[in-house]
């Protein structure tokens, strides 16, 4: 198994960002993570990379406050130029890693590098260095704009065929021994591929996603922030939870018939410890179930005198509040079936929907109530009781 390590030179000052600190320490992540932390996290998604070395200036005052995964080591190997920093870090690696170790050098300012691109780069370098140990591969973006050369006054003087042009990015991947000898005596190269080619090695370009751009000016940072926030929102958008609720209550004389928070004229009413609103109870259980927050009997025990004759609207509101405390849930919709032979419920459906929506702070259009008789079958058909089924869909934003 080949050793594969990554080096992030992070000793630069990034003066083009016009900021109070080097650009790798500016926040770009959705939770305020620094660019360096986001870039390291992107590389850490690649399982084959066994160690990530962050090379900083020995006097760096910012690095100590950052959080990295366990595979990351911070080395005080920063030099005056990028090549010097990489060189110092390779020297530190040499005693611990074999000469054929693959080294990926990656810009700290490319936080959006894609895991799949890095995996393809590693695969291509493994096959390239089998034949050409002194060579390697780099990620590069195709050029989609028309490219022309200008004179000093900005006048277009030459059309350049863009079909074979690439914009060289990072990571750049080489064997440890080849990169070490290529960089020796070349302290001013701006990227590793220039040094390797100058030393006679062959370098292949591997297509990279355009998201792997380098954060250089303030507008780049704004774009990186937007992309990172949008991708996090995209992940969250998929958080859906469904809940199921069920309840039944006996029909007795001398009680009001309360369903969906609405008192409906009838000769019988629902019996229970609280106001016995089976529809609100089923919806309460569906909401609690969707968020895995227990059930109505645990939250509001029917032997607790505090809930004797309780308004089920208060219980539903309280349960919904508890669910929201566990996460930023919203209700997508509620659907329900009420099985009752009598009274006729269709004339009261809109009032029930409006009341349920009011209790939960949602729109009536998000609430459905569907009455059913039971064709005189079973206890509902004999008018001994009422049954309710409810489902709810919760969405986390
Ligand atoms: Mg009940």
């Amino acid at each position: 198994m080949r050793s594969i390590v990554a080096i992030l030179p992070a000793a630069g000052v990034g003066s083009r960002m016009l900021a109070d600190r080097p650009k790798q320490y500016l926040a770009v992540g959705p939770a305020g993570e620094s660019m360096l932390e986001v870039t390291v996290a992107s590389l850490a998604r690649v399982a084959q990379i066994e160690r990530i070395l962050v090379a900083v200036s020995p006097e760096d005052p910012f690095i100590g406050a950052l959080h990295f995964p366990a595979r990351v080591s911070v080395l005080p190997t920063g030099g005056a130029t990028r090549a010097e920093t990489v060189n110092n870090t390779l020297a530190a690696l040499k005693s611990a890693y074999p000469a054929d170790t693959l080294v990926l050098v990656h810009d700290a300012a490319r936080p959006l590098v894609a895991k799949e691109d890095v995996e393809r780069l590693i695969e291509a370098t493994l096959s390239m260095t089998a034949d050409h140990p002194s060579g390697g591969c780099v990620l590069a973006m195709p050029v989609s704009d028309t490219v022309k050369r200008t004179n000093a006054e900005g006048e277009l003087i030459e059309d350049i065929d863009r079909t074979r042009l690439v914009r060289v990015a990072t990571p750049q991947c080489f064997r440890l021994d080849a990169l070490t000898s290529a960089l020796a005596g070349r302290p001013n190269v701006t990227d590793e591929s220039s040094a390797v080619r100058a030393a006679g090695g062959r370098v292949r370009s591997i297509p990279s996603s355009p998201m792997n751009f380098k954060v250089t000016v303030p507008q780049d940072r704004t774009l990186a922030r937007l992309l990172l926030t949008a991708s996090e929102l995209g992940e969250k958008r998929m958080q859906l939870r469904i809940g199921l609720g069920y309840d039944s209550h006996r029909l007795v004389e001398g009680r009001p018939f309360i369903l969906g928070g609405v008192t409906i004229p009838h000769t019988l009413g629902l019996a229970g410890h609280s106001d016995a609103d089976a529809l609100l109870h089923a919806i309460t259980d569906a909401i609690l179930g969707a968020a895995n927050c227990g059930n109505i009997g645990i939250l509001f025990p029917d032997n607790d005198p505090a809930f004797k004759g309780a308004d089920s609207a208060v219980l539903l509101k309280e349960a919904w509040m508890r669910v929201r405390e566990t996460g930023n849930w919203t209700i997508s919709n509620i659907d329900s079936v009420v099985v009752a032979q009598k009274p006729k419920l269709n004339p009261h459906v809109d009032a029930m929907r409006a009341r349920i929506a009011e209790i939960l702070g949602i729109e009536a259009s998000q609430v459905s109530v569907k009455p059913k008789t039971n064709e005189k079958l079973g206890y509902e058909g004999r008018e001994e009781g009422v049954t309710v089924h409810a489902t709810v869909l919760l969405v986390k934003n």
Side-chain angles (χ1 to χ4, degrees):
M1 188 70 178
R2 282 284 275 281
S3 285
I4 301 176
V5 300
I7 296 176
L8 275 84
V13 294
S15 52
R16 279 176 285 182
M17 288 297 291
L18 313 169
D20 64 342
R21 57 186 65 201
K23 65 178 173 183
Q24 61 270 26
Y25 297 116
L26 298 175
V28 291
E33 301 93 331
S34 69
M35 185 146 54
L36 186 53
E37 286 168 302
V38 175
T39 306
V40 165
S42 296
L43 276 188
R45 286 192 195 109
V46 181
Q48 297 104 301
I49 300 177
E50 59 185 74
R51 195 101 220 128
I52 299 171
L53 304 171
V54 178
V56 298
S57 145
E59 296 90 35
D60 191 310
F62 303 106
I63 190 75
L66 270 46
H67 300 284
F68 294 122
R71 267 186 291 157
V72 177
S73 304
V74 176
L75 300 181
T77 45
T81 64
R82 175 196 175 94
E84 208 180 298
T85 299
V86 174
N87 228 346
N88 294 345
T89 313
L90 291 173
L93 269 179
K94 253 161 98 178
S95 57
Y97 286 90
D100 68 352
T101 299
L102 285 195
V103 178
L104 293 96
V105 183
H106 185 57
D107 294 329
R110 295 187 192 270
L112 287 147
V113 65
K115 170 179 177 274
E116 297 73 23
D117 286 351
V118 179
E119 287 168 346
R120 283 190 299 106
L121 174 75
I122 290 171
E123 202 177 311
T125 312
L126 283 170
S127 92
M128 170 95 181
T129 53
D131 296 330
H132 302 280
S134 61
C137 298
V138 300
L139 286 187
M141 279 87 92
V143 174
S144 47
D145 296 313
T146 299
V147 181
K148 296 180 193 279
R149 193 183 306 283
T150 65
N151 63 14
E153 286 73 48
E155 189 187 338
L156 305 184
I157 54 169
E158 186 190 349
D159 290 359
I160 296 173
D161 178 11
R162 71 175 180 219
T163 53
R164 294 274 169 81
L165 290 181
V166 291
R167 293 184 291 138
V168 173
T170 69
Q172 305 200 352
C173 189
F174 307 95
R175 281 173 53 130
L176 172 59
D177 51 358
L179 187 56
T180 304
S181 64
L183 285 174
R186 295 189 177 90
N188 295 314
V189 290
T190 53
D191 77 327
E192 293 66 44
S193 72
S194 311
V196 167
R197 289 193 60 251
R202 295 171 66 173
V203 182
R204 246 186 79 197
S205 71
I206 306 299
S208 171
S209 150
M211 300 272 270
N212 189 20
F213 62 88
K214 188 175 187 177
V215 176
T216 309
V217 293
Q219 291 86 340
D220 297 332
R221 182 178 164 219
T222 305
L223 182 59
R225 279 182 109 136
L226 285 169
L227 289 166
L228 286 161
T229 306
S231 72
E232 197 195 58
L233 287 177
E235 281 162 23
K236 283 187 170 174
R237 199 172 298 134
M238 294 312 293
Q239 289 197 48
L240 305 174
R241 300 288 292 266
I242 195 164
L244 173 65
Y246 166 89
D247 198 23
S248 58
H249 279 263
R250 276 184 303 115
L251 280 165
V252 293
E253 287 180 352
R255 293 262 303 179
F257 188 98
I258 301 172
L259 204 62
V262 175
T263 303
I264 294 164
H266 191 40
T267 51
L268 303 172
L270 294 169
H273 181 68
S274 65
D275 64 10
D277 189 328
L279 178 52
L280 293 194
H281 293 178
I283 292 172
T284 303
D285 254 359
I287 290 173
L288 291 169
N292 196 20
C293 286
N295 64 64
I296 193 169
I298 293 174
L299 251 62
F300 314 112
D302 64 6
N303 55 8
D304 185 335
F307 303 121
K308 184 162 171 54
D311 179 353
S312 297
V314 174
L315 308 187
L316 174 57
K317 200 176 260 183
E318 168 72 19
W320 176 220
M321 204 186 76
R322 296 219 194 164
V323 164
R324 273 184 304 177
E325 282 168 4
T326 72
N328 190 24
W329 294 110
T330 57
I331 293 171
S332 169
N333 73 302
I334 292 169
D335 190 18
S336 62
V337 175
V338 179
V339 186
Q341 193 63 41
K342 276 184 187 166
K344 282 203 182 314
L345 293 174
N346 268 322
H348 306 283
V349 159
D350 285 344
M352 290 191 269
R353 291 174 52 231
R355 178 62 186 138
I356 293 163
E358 183 188 22
I359 294 165
L360 293 168
I362 59 178
E363 300 293 321
S365 61
Q366 292 169 275
V367 183
S368 156
V369 176
K370 309 193 300 296
K372 295 285 287 182
T373 72
N374 219 30
E375 300 280 339
K376 302 198 169 161
L377 293 168
Y379 65 82
E380 298 101 331
R382 292 192 298 270
E383 295 177 55
E384 293 167 7
V386 167
T387 302
V388 180
H389 306 266
T391 58
V392 61
L393 186 65
L394 297 185
V395 183
K396 191 179 267 189
N397 300 313

